[in-house]
PDB file of all heavy atoms in Angstrom:
ATOM      1  N   LEU C  61      -9.712  42.056  15.209  1.00  0.00           N
ATOM      2  CA  LEU C  61      -9.134  42.220  13.851  1.00  0.00           C
ATOM      3  C   LEU C  61      -9.076  43.778  13.467  1.00  0.00           C
ATOM      4  O   LEU C  61     -10.161  44.318  13.258  1.00  0.00           O
ATOM      5  CB  LEU C  61      -9.958  41.467  12.872  1.00  0.00           C
ATOM      6  CG  LEU C  61      -9.581  41.572  11.381  1.00  0.00           C
ATOM      7  CD1 LEU C  61      -8.036  41.392  11.134  1.00  0.00           C
ATOM      8  CD2 LEU C  61     -10.397  40.512  10.508  1.00  0.00           C
ATOM      9  N   VAL C  63      -7.806  46.510  10.932  1.00  0.00           N
ATOM     10  CA  VAL C  63      -7.452  46.650   9.624  1.00  0.00           C
ATOM     11  C   VAL C  63      -6.681  48.002   9.467  1.00  0.00           C
ATOM     12  O   VAL C  63      -7.359  49.021   9.644  1.00  0.00           O
ATOM     13  CB  VAL C  63      -8.529  46.474   8.603  1.00  0.00           C
ATOM     14  CG1 VAL C  63      -8.088  46.624   7.184  1.00  0.00           C
ATOM     15  CG2 VAL C  63      -9.269  45.131   8.670  1.00  0.00           C
ATOM     16  N   PRO C  65      -3.545  50.284   7.004  1.00  0.00           N
ATOM     17  CA  PRO C  65      -3.481  50.741   5.675  1.00  0.00           C
ATOM     18  C   PRO C  65      -3.367  49.711   4.539  1.00  0.00           C
ATOM     19  O   PRO C  65      -2.769  48.637   4.708  1.00  0.00           O
ATOM     20  CB  PRO C  65      -2.114  51.545   5.630  1.00  0.00           C
ATOM     21  CG  PRO C  65      -1.344  51.095   6.831  1.00  0.00           C
ATOM     22  CD  PRO C  65      -2.333  50.555   7.807  1.00  0.00           C
ATOM     23  N   LEU C  66      -3.974  50.033   3.413  1.00  0.00           N
ATOM     24  CA  LEU C  66      -3.769  49.248   2.248  1.00  0.00           C
ATOM     25  C   LEU C  66      -2.443  49.426   1.629  1.00  0.00           C
ATOM     26  O   LEU C  66      -1.962  50.537   1.471  1.00  0.00           O
ATOM     27  CB  LEU C  66      -4.861  49.790   1.164  1.00  0.00           C
ATOM     28  CG  LEU C  66      -4.858  49.242  -0.215  1.00  0.00           C
ATOM     29  CD1 LEU C  66      -5.071  47.637  -0.202  1.00  0.00           C
ATOM     30  CD2 LEU C  66      -5.907  49.820  -1.057  1.00  0.00           C
ATOM     31  N   ARG C  67      -1.789  48.261   1.352  1.00  0.00           N
ATOM     32  CA  ARG C  67      -0.409  48.347   0.989  1.00  0.00           C
ATOM     33  C   ARG C  67      -0.306  48.281  -0.476  1.00  0.00           C
ATOM     34  O   ARG C  67      -1.197  47.986  -1.225  1.00  0.00           O
ATOM     35  CB  ARG C  67       0.456  47.172   1.520  1.00  0.00           C
ATOM     36  CG  ARG C  67       0.135  46.976   3.047  1.00  0.00           C
ATOM     37  CD  ARG C  67       1.054  45.942   3.751  1.00  0.00           C
ATOM     38  NE  ARG C  67       1.401  44.749   3.071  1.00  0.00           N
ATOM     39  CZ  ARG C  67       1.954  43.617   3.630  1.00  0.00           C
ATOM     40  NH1 ARG C  67       2.200  43.600   4.899  1.00  0.00           N
ATOM     41  NH2 ARG C  67       2.268  42.619   2.922  1.00  0.00           N
ATOM     42  N   ASP C  69       1.140  46.126  -2.234  1.00  0.00           N
ATOM     43  CA  ASP C  69       0.966  44.763  -2.765  1.00  0.00           C
ATOM     44  C   ASP C  69      -0.526  44.324  -2.773  1.00  0.00           C
ATOM     45  O   ASP C  69      -0.809  43.196  -3.050  1.00  0.00           O
ATOM     46  CB  ASP C  69       1.834  43.693  -1.978  1.00  0.00           C
ATOM     47  CG  ASP C  69       1.394  43.569  -0.553  1.00  0.00           C
ATOM     48  OD1 ASP C  69       0.491  44.267  -0.118  1.00  0.00           O
ATOM     49  OD2 ASP C  69       2.050  42.821   0.270  1.00  0.00           O
ATOM     50  N   GLY C  70      -1.453  45.262  -2.381  1.00  0.00           N
ATOM     51  CA  GLY C  70      -2.832  44.916  -2.374  1.00  0.00           C
ATOM     52  C   GLY C  70      -3.384  44.346  -1.163  1.00  0.00           C
ATOM     53  O   GLY C  70      -4.608  44.227  -1.005  1.00  0.00           O
ATOM     54  N   TYR C  71      -2.491  43.984  -0.190  1.00  0.00           N
ATOM     55  CA  TYR C  71      -2.907  43.473   1.066  1.00  0.00           C
ATOM     56  C   TYR C  71      -3.018  44.739   2.026  1.00  0.00           C
ATOM     57  O   TYR C  71      -2.502  45.797   1.842  1.00  0.00           O
ATOM     58  CB  TYR C  71      -1.835  42.560   1.749  1.00  0.00           C
ATOM     59  CG  TYR C  71      -1.934  41.178   1.067  1.00  0.00           C
ATOM     60  CD1 TYR C  71      -1.239  40.870  -0.046  1.00  0.00           C
ATOM     61  CD2 TYR C  71      -2.787  40.186   1.595  1.00  0.00           C
ATOM     62  CE1 TYR C  71      -1.256  39.623  -0.673  1.00  0.00           C
ATOM     63  CE2 TYR C  71      -2.826  38.882   0.987  1.00  0.00           C
ATOM     64  CZ  TYR C  71      -2.055  38.634  -0.152  1.00  0.00           C
ATOM     65  OH  TYR C  71      -2.204  37.333  -0.662  1.00  0.00           O
ATOM     66  N   HIS C  72      -3.743  44.459   3.248  1.00  0.00           N
ATOM     67  CA  HIS C  72      -3.826  45.477   4.251  1.00  0.00           C
ATOM     68  C   HIS C  72      -2.924  45.075   5.359  1.00  0.00           C
ATOM     69  O   HIS C  72      -2.764  43.887   5.700  1.00  0.00           O
ATOM     70  CB  HIS C  72      -5.287  45.509   4.705  1.00  0.00           C
ATOM     71  CG  HIS C  72      -6.195  46.102   3.751  1.00  0.00           C
ATOM     72  ND1 HIS C  72      -6.593  45.271   2.614  1.00  0.00           N
ATOM     73  CD2 HIS C  72      -6.765  47.259   3.645  1.00  0.00           C
ATOM     74  CE1 HIS C  72      -7.410  46.055   1.928  1.00  0.00           C
ATOM     75  NE2 HIS C  72      -7.539  47.286   2.457  1.00  0.00           N
ATOM     76  N   GLU C  73      -2.307  46.050   6.004  1.00  0.00           N
ATOM     77  CA  GLU C  73      -1.621  45.862   7.154  1.00  0.00           C
ATOM     78  C   GLU C  73      -2.664  45.391   8.311  1.00  0.00           C
ATOM     79  O   GLU C  73      -3.638  46.016   8.397  1.00  0.00           O
ATOM     80  CB  GLU C  73      -0.912  47.113   7.639  1.00  0.00           C
ATOM     81  CG  GLU C  73       0.200  47.017   8.533  1.00  0.00           C
ATOM     82  CD  GLU C  73       1.471  46.210   7.968  1.00  0.00           C
ATOM     83  OE1 GLU C  73       1.611  46.150   6.737  1.00  0.00           O
ATOM     84  OE2 GLU C  73       2.216  45.737   8.806  1.00  0.00           O
ATOM     85  N   LEU C  74      -2.312  44.406   9.061  1.00  0.00           N
ATOM     86  CA  LEU C  74      -3.374  43.912  10.020  1.00  0.00           C
ATOM     87  C   LEU C  74      -2.713  43.926  11.438  1.00  0.00           C
ATOM     88  O   LEU C  74      -1.458  43.763  11.592  1.00  0.00           O
ATOM     89  CB  LEU C  74      -3.764  42.465   9.766  1.00  0.00           C
ATOM     90  CG  LEU C  74      -4.479  42.137   8.531  1.00  0.00           C
ATOM     91  CD1 LEU C  74      -4.905  40.616   8.639  1.00  0.00           C
ATOM     92  CD2 LEU C  74      -5.734  42.963   8.370  1.00  0.00           C
ATOM     93  N   LEU C 114      -5.360  25.862  -3.107  1.00  0.00           N
ATOM     94  CA  LEU C 114      -4.287  26.386  -2.228  1.00  0.00           C
ATOM     95  C   LEU C 114      -3.429  25.253  -1.658  1.00  0.00           C
ATOM     96  O   LEU C 114      -2.196  25.421  -1.463  1.00  0.00           O
ATOM     97  CB  LEU C 114      -4.924  27.197  -1.121  1.00  0.00           C
ATOM     98  CG  LEU C 114      -3.986  28.246  -0.376  1.00  0.00           C
ATOM     99  CD1 LEU C 114      -3.253  29.097  -1.264  1.00  0.00           C
ATOM    100  CD2 LEU C 114      -4.845  29.046   0.650  1.00  0.00           C
ATOM    101  N   ARG C 117      -1.114  24.138  -4.313  1.00  0.00           N
ATOM    102  CA  ARG C 117       0.006  25.130  -4.445  1.00  0.00           C
ATOM    103  C   ARG C 117       0.997  25.083  -3.330  1.00  0.00           C
ATOM    104  O   ARG C 117       2.217  25.197  -3.558  1.00  0.00           O
ATOM    105  CB  ARG C 117      -0.604  26.587  -4.571  1.00  0.00           C
ATOM    106  CG  ARG C 117      -1.303  26.751  -5.883  1.00  0.00           C
ATOM    107  CD  ARG C 117      -2.080  28.061  -5.974  1.00  0.00           C
ATOM    108  NE  ARG C 117      -1.285  29.220  -5.537  1.00  0.00           N
ATOM    109  CZ  ARG C 117      -1.622  30.278  -4.877  1.00  0.00           C
ATOM    110  NH1 ARG C 117      -2.923  30.411  -4.726  1.00  0.00           N
ATOM    111  NH2 ARG C 117      -0.920  31.214  -4.540  1.00  0.00           N
ATOM    112  N   ALA C 147     -10.788  30.562   7.650  1.00  0.00           N
ATOM    113  CA  ALA C 147      -9.561  30.195   7.128  1.00  0.00           C
ATOM    114  C   ALA C 147      -9.490  28.786   6.699  1.00  0.00           C
ATOM    115  O   ALA C 147      -8.436  28.085   6.878  1.00  0.00           O
ATOM    116  CB  ALA C 147      -8.392  30.676   8.096  1.00  0.00           C
ATOM    117  N   SER C 150      -6.774  28.044   4.033  1.00  0.00           N
ATOM    118  CA  SER C 150      -5.455  28.238   4.591  1.00  0.00           C
ATOM    119  C   SER C 150      -5.134  27.054   5.510  1.00  0.00           C
ATOM    120  O   SER C 150      -3.959  26.574   5.482  1.00  0.00           O
ATOM    121  CB  SER C 150      -5.436  29.581   5.410  1.00  0.00           C
ATOM    122  OG  SER C 150      -5.596  30.606   4.613  1.00  0.00           O
ATOM    123  N   LEU C 180       2.269  32.078   0.612  1.00  0.00           N
ATOM    124  CA  LEU C 180       1.044  31.625  -0.042  1.00  0.00           C
ATOM    125  C   LEU C 180      -0.151  32.366   0.516  1.00  0.00           C
ATOM    126  O   LEU C 180      -1.246  32.480  -0.222  1.00  0.00           O
ATOM    127  CB  LEU C 180       0.799  30.114   0.030  1.00  0.00           C
ATOM    128  CG  LEU C 180       1.574  29.198  -0.633  1.00  0.00           C
ATOM    129  CD1 LEU C 180       1.576  27.788  -0.157  1.00  0.00           C
ATOM    130  CD2 LEU C 180       1.137  29.273  -2.171  1.00  0.00           C
ATOM    131  N   GLY C 181      -0.167  32.874   1.707  1.00  0.00           N
ATOM    132  CA  GLY C 181      -1.308  33.527   2.164  1.00  0.00           C
ATOM    133  C   GLY C 181      -1.144  34.111   3.554  1.00  0.00           C
ATOM    134  O   GLY C 181      -0.076  34.060   4.108  1.00  0.00           O
ATOM    135  N   SER C 182      -2.210  34.679   4.167  1.00  0.00           N
ATOM    136  CA  SER C 182      -2.100  35.474   5.441  1.00  0.00           C
ATOM    137  C   SER C 182      -2.383  34.642   6.660  1.00  0.00           C
ATOM    138  O   SER C 182      -1.982  34.987   7.690  1.00  0.00           O
ATOM    139  CB  SER C 182      -3.032  36.583   5.349  1.00  0.00           C
ATOM    140  OG  SER C 182      -2.866  37.302   4.182  1.00  0.00           O
ATOM    141  N   ASP C 183      -3.217  33.541   6.461  1.00  0.00           N
ATOM    142  CA  ASP C 183      -3.662  32.834   7.641  1.00  0.00           C
ATOM    143  C   ASP C 183      -2.882  31.420   7.845  1.00  0.00           C
ATOM    144  O   ASP C 183      -3.299  30.683   8.784  1.00  0.00           O
ATOM    145  CB  ASP C 183      -5.126  32.573   7.513  1.00  0.00           C
ATOM    146  CG  ASP C 183      -5.942  33.837   7.526  1.00  0.00           C
ATOM    147  OD1 ASP C 183      -5.487  34.901   8.115  1.00  0.00           O
ATOM    148  OD2 ASP C 183      -6.994  33.869   6.946  1.00  0.00           O
ATOM    149  N   ILE C 184      -2.062  31.019   6.866  1.00  0.00           N
ATOM    150  CA  ILE C 184      -1.552  29.645   6.803  1.00  0.00           C
ATOM    151  C   ILE C 184      -0.523  29.492   8.002  1.00  0.00           C
ATOM    152  O   ILE C 184      -0.518  28.468   8.626  1.00  0.00           O
ATOM    153  CB  ILE C 184      -0.876  29.435   5.513  1.00  0.00           C
ATOM    154  CG1 ILE C 184      -1.863  29.581   4.351  1.00  0.00           C
ATOM    155  CG2 ILE C 184      -0.362  27.927   5.475  1.00  0.00           C
ATOM    156  CD1 ILE C 184      -1.322  29.495   3.009  1.00  0.00           C
ATOM    157  N   SER C 196       0.545  39.974  12.775  1.00  0.00           N
ATOM    158  CA  SER C 196       0.781  41.334  12.288  1.00  0.00           C
ATOM    159  C   SER C 196       1.269  41.243  10.838  1.00  0.00           C
ATOM    160  O   SER C 196       1.306  40.115  10.266  1.00  0.00           O
ATOM    161  CB  SER C 196       1.681  42.094  13.114  1.00  0.00           C
ATOM    162  OG  SER C 196       2.960  41.341  13.236  1.00  0.00           O
ATOM    163  N   SER C 197       1.698  42.374  10.304  1.00  0.00           N
ATOM    164  CA  SER C 197       1.973  42.430   8.828  1.00  0.00           C
ATOM    165  C   SER C 197       0.656  42.145   8.072  1.00  0.00           C
ATOM    166  O   SER C 197      -0.386  42.754   8.423  1.00  0.00           O
ATOM    167  CB  SER C 197       3.094  41.529   8.410  1.00  0.00           C
ATOM    168  OG  SER C 197       3.412  41.744   7.018  1.00  0.00           O
ATOM    169  N   ARG C 198       0.678  41.244   7.163  1.00  0.00           N
ATOM    170  CA  ARG C 198      -0.674  40.911   6.515  1.00  0.00           C
ATOM    171  C   ARG C 198      -1.359  39.733   7.249  1.00  0.00           C
ATOM    172  O   ARG C 198      -2.340  39.199   6.871  1.00  0.00           O
ATOM    173  CB  ARG C 198      -0.570  40.733   5.058  1.00  0.00           C
ATOM    174  CG  ARG C 198       0.305  39.472   4.647  1.00  0.00           C
ATOM    175  CD  ARG C 198       0.389  39.497   3.132  1.00  0.00           C
ATOM    176  NE  ARG C 198       1.513  38.674   2.778  1.00  0.00           N
ATOM    177  CZ  ARG C 198       1.346  37.351   2.464  1.00  0.00           C
ATOM    178  NH1 ARG C 198       0.204  36.707   2.665  1.00  0.00           N
ATOM    179  NH2 ARG C 198       2.365  36.617   2.144  1.00  0.00           N
ATOM    180  N   GLY C 199      -0.749  39.259   8.451  1.00  0.00           N
ATOM    181  CA  GLY C 199      -1.321  38.266   9.253  1.00  0.00           C
ATOM    182  C   GLY C 199      -0.268  37.117   9.412  1.00  0.00           C
ATOM    183  O   GLY C 199      -0.550  36.233  10.299  1.00  0.00           O
ATOM    184  N   GLU C 200       0.798  37.127   8.628  1.00  0.00           N
ATOM    185  CA  GLU C 200       1.733  35.937   8.653  1.00  0.00           C
ATOM    186  C   GLU C 200       2.731  36.037   9.804  1.00  0.00           C
ATOM    187  O   GLU C 200       3.407  35.024   9.989  1.00  0.00           O
ATOM    188  CB  GLU C 200       2.308  35.850   7.246  1.00  0.00           C
ATOM    189  CG  GLU C 200       3.461  36.765   6.971  1.00  0.00           C
ATOM    190  CD  GLU C 200       3.130  38.124   6.603  1.00  0.00           C
ATOM    191  OE1 GLU C 200       2.005  38.594   6.950  1.00  0.00           O
ATOM    192  OE2 GLU C 200       4.031  38.911   6.128  1.00  0.00           O
ATOM    193  N   SER C 223     -16.794  36.694  -0.192  1.00  0.00           N
ATOM    194  CA  SER C 223     -15.465  36.835  -0.732  1.00  0.00           C
ATOM    195  C   SER C 223     -14.544  37.765   0.073  1.00  0.00           C
ATOM    196  O   SER C 223     -14.876  38.874   0.385  1.00  0.00           O
ATOM    197  CB  SER C 223     -15.565  37.291  -2.177  1.00  0.00           C
ATOM    198  OG  SER C 223     -14.402  38.055  -2.487  1.00  0.00           O
ATOM    199  N   THR C 224     -13.391  37.177   0.685  1.00  0.00           N
ATOM    200  CA  THR C 224     -12.537  37.984   1.511  1.00  0.00           C
ATOM    201  C   THR C 224     -12.040  39.334   0.727  1.00  0.00           C
ATOM    202  O   THR C 224     -12.168  40.454   1.311  1.00  0.00           O
ATOM    203  CB  THR C 224     -11.331  37.217   1.887  1.00  0.00           C
ATOM    204  OG1 THR C 224     -11.770  36.013   2.545  1.00  0.00           O
ATOM    205  CG2 THR C 224     -10.371  37.948   2.795  1.00  0.00           C
ATOM    206  N   PRO C 225     -11.654  39.263  -0.536  1.00  0.00           N
ATOM    207  CA  PRO C 225     -11.257  40.528  -1.199  1.00  0.00           C
ATOM    208  C   PRO C 225     -12.345  41.535  -1.304  1.00  0.00           C
ATOM    209  O   PRO C 225     -12.164  42.721  -1.003  1.00  0.00           O
ATOM    210  CB  PRO C 225     -10.785  40.053  -2.604  1.00  0.00           C
ATOM    211  CG  PRO C 225     -10.521  38.566  -2.513  1.00  0.00           C
ATOM    212  CD  PRO C 225     -11.296  38.105  -1.363  1.00  0.00           C
ATOM    213  N   LEU C 226     -13.606  41.009  -1.492  1.00  0.00           N
ATOM    214  CA  LEU C 226     -14.734  41.995  -1.555  1.00  0.00           C
ATOM    215  C   LEU C 226     -14.923  42.639  -0.248  1.00  0.00           C
ATOM    216  O   LEU C 226     -15.261  43.895  -0.191  1.00  0.00           O
ATOM    217  CB  LEU C 226     -15.983  41.222  -1.903  1.00  0.00           C
ATOM    218  CG  LEU C 226     -16.258  41.036  -3.434  1.00  0.00           C
ATOM    219  CD1 LEU C 226     -17.753  40.413  -3.556  1.00  0.00           C
ATOM    220  CD2 LEU C 226     -16.201  42.383  -4.138  1.00  0.00           C
ATOM    221  N   PHE C 228     -12.711  43.303   2.185  1.00  0.00           N
ATOM    222  CA  PHE C 228     -11.621  44.288   2.395  1.00  0.00           C
ATOM    223  C   PHE C 228     -11.902  45.513   1.471  1.00  0.00           C
ATOM    224  O   PHE C 228     -11.705  46.633   1.966  1.00  0.00           O
ATOM    225  CB  PHE C 228     -10.253  43.697   2.086  1.00  0.00           C
ATOM    226  CG  PHE C 228      -9.609  42.955   3.203  1.00  0.00           C
ATOM    227  CD1 PHE C 228      -9.709  41.636   3.417  1.00  0.00           C
ATOM    228  CD2 PHE C 228      -8.955  43.622   4.235  1.00  0.00           C
ATOM    229  CE1 PHE C 228      -9.064  40.957   4.415  1.00  0.00           C
ATOM    230  CE2 PHE C 228      -8.413  43.054   5.306  1.00  0.00           C
ATOM    231  CZ  PHE C 228      -8.431  41.643   5.394  1.00  0.00           C
ATOM    232  N   ALA C 229     -12.324  45.247   0.270  1.00  0.00           N
ATOM    233  CA  ALA C 229     -12.634  46.400  -0.622  1.00  0.00           C
ATOM    234  C   ALA C 229     -13.698  47.241  -0.128  1.00  0.00           C
ATOM    235  O   ALA C 229     -13.806  48.492  -0.182  1.00  0.00           O
ATOM    236  CB  ALA C 229     -12.888  45.859  -2.056  1.00  0.00           C
ATOM    237  N   ASP C 232     -12.427  49.567   2.591  1.00  0.00           N
ATOM    238  CA  ASP C 232     -11.823  50.692   1.999  1.00  0.00           C
ATOM    239  C   ASP C 232     -12.840  51.719   1.488  1.00  0.00           C
ATOM    240  O   ASP C 232     -12.727  52.924   1.647  1.00  0.00           O
ATOM    241  CB  ASP C 232     -10.984  50.320   0.850  1.00  0.00           C
ATOM    242  CG  ASP C 232      -9.623  49.472   1.335  1.00  0.00           C
ATOM    243  OD1 ASP C 232      -9.277  49.578   2.515  1.00  0.00           O
ATOM    244  OD2 ASP C 232      -9.071  48.822   0.543  1.00  0.00           O
ATOM    245  N   LEU C 274     -13.600  44.371  10.085  1.00  0.00           N
ATOM    246  CA  LEU C 274     -14.355  43.926   8.839  1.00  0.00           C
ATOM    247  C   LEU C 274     -15.820  43.709   9.095  1.00  0.00           C
ATOM    248  O   LEU C 274     -16.543  43.267   8.182  1.00  0.00           O
ATOM    249  CB  LEU C 274     -13.755  42.667   8.293  1.00  0.00           C
ATOM    250  CG  LEU C 274     -12.305  42.832   7.786  1.00  0.00           C
ATOM    251  CD1 LEU C 274     -11.720  41.429   7.336  1.00  0.00           C
ATOM    252  CD2 LEU C 274     -12.251  43.924   6.572  1.00  0.00           C
ATOM    253  N   SER C 305     -13.454  37.742   7.611  1.00  0.00           N
ATOM    254  CA  SER C 305     -14.288  38.460   6.622  1.00  0.00           C
ATOM    255  C   SER C 305     -15.713  37.936   6.522  1.00  0.00           C
ATOM    256  O   SER C 305     -16.387  38.378   5.731  1.00  0.00           O
ATOM    257  CB  SER C 305     -13.596  38.477   5.339  1.00  0.00           C
ATOM    258  OG  SER C 305     -13.457  37.133   4.917  1.00  0.00           O
TER     259      SER C 305
HETATM  260  O1  C5P T 551      -3.980  35.897   2.130  1.00  0.00           O
HETATM  261  P1  C5P T 551      -5.267  35.501   1.614  1.00  0.00           P
HETATM  262  O2  C5P T 551      -5.036  34.842   0.293  1.00  0.00           O
HETATM  263  O3  C5P T 551      -6.099  34.652   2.476  1.00  0.00           O
HETATM  264  O4  C5P T 551      -6.077  36.828   1.269  1.00  0.00           O
HETATM  265  C1  C5P T 551      -7.204  36.810   0.427  1.00  0.00           C
HETATM  266  C2  C5P T 551      -7.477  38.288   0.060  1.00  0.00           C
HETATM  267  O5  C5P T 551      -7.830  39.063   1.043  1.00  0.00           O
HETATM  268  C3  C5P T 551      -6.252  39.028  -0.517  1.00  0.00           C
HETATM  269  O6  C5P T 551      -6.082  38.816  -1.959  1.00  0.00           O
HETATM  270  C4  C5P T 551      -6.644  40.480  -0.224  1.00  0.00           C
HETATM  271  O7  C5P T 551      -7.591  40.987  -1.212  1.00  0.00           O
HETATM  272  C5  C5P T 551      -7.378  40.361   1.057  1.00  0.00           C
HETATM  273  N1  C5P T 551      -6.487  40.601   2.248  1.00  0.00           N
HETATM  274  C6  C5P T 551      -6.022  41.791   2.465  1.00  0.00           C
HETATM  275  N2  C5P T 551      -5.214  42.079   3.547  1.00  0.00           N
HETATM  276  C7  C5P T 551      -4.754  41.089   4.375  1.00  0.00           C
HETATM  277  C8  C5P T 551      -5.255  39.717   4.096  1.00  0.00           C
HETATM  278  C9  C5P T 551      -6.130  39.611   3.028  1.00  0.00           C
HETATM  279  O8  C5P T 551      -6.447  42.808   1.788  1.00  0.00           O
HETATM  280  N3  C5P T 551      -3.940  41.230   5.361  1.00  0.00           N
END
Side-chain angles (χ1 to χ4, degrees):
L61 177 49
V63 178
L66 174 60
R67 312 189 319 192
D69 63 3
Y71 282 89
H72 293 74
E73 200 65 23
L74 296 184
L114 196 57
R117 286 174 50 214
S150 296
L180 285 165
S182 310
D183 296 332
I184 305 175
S196 59
S197 185
R198 62 186 166 87
E200 82 283 15
S223 148
T224 303
L226 273 187
F228 273 100
D232 292 339
L274 293 177
S305 56

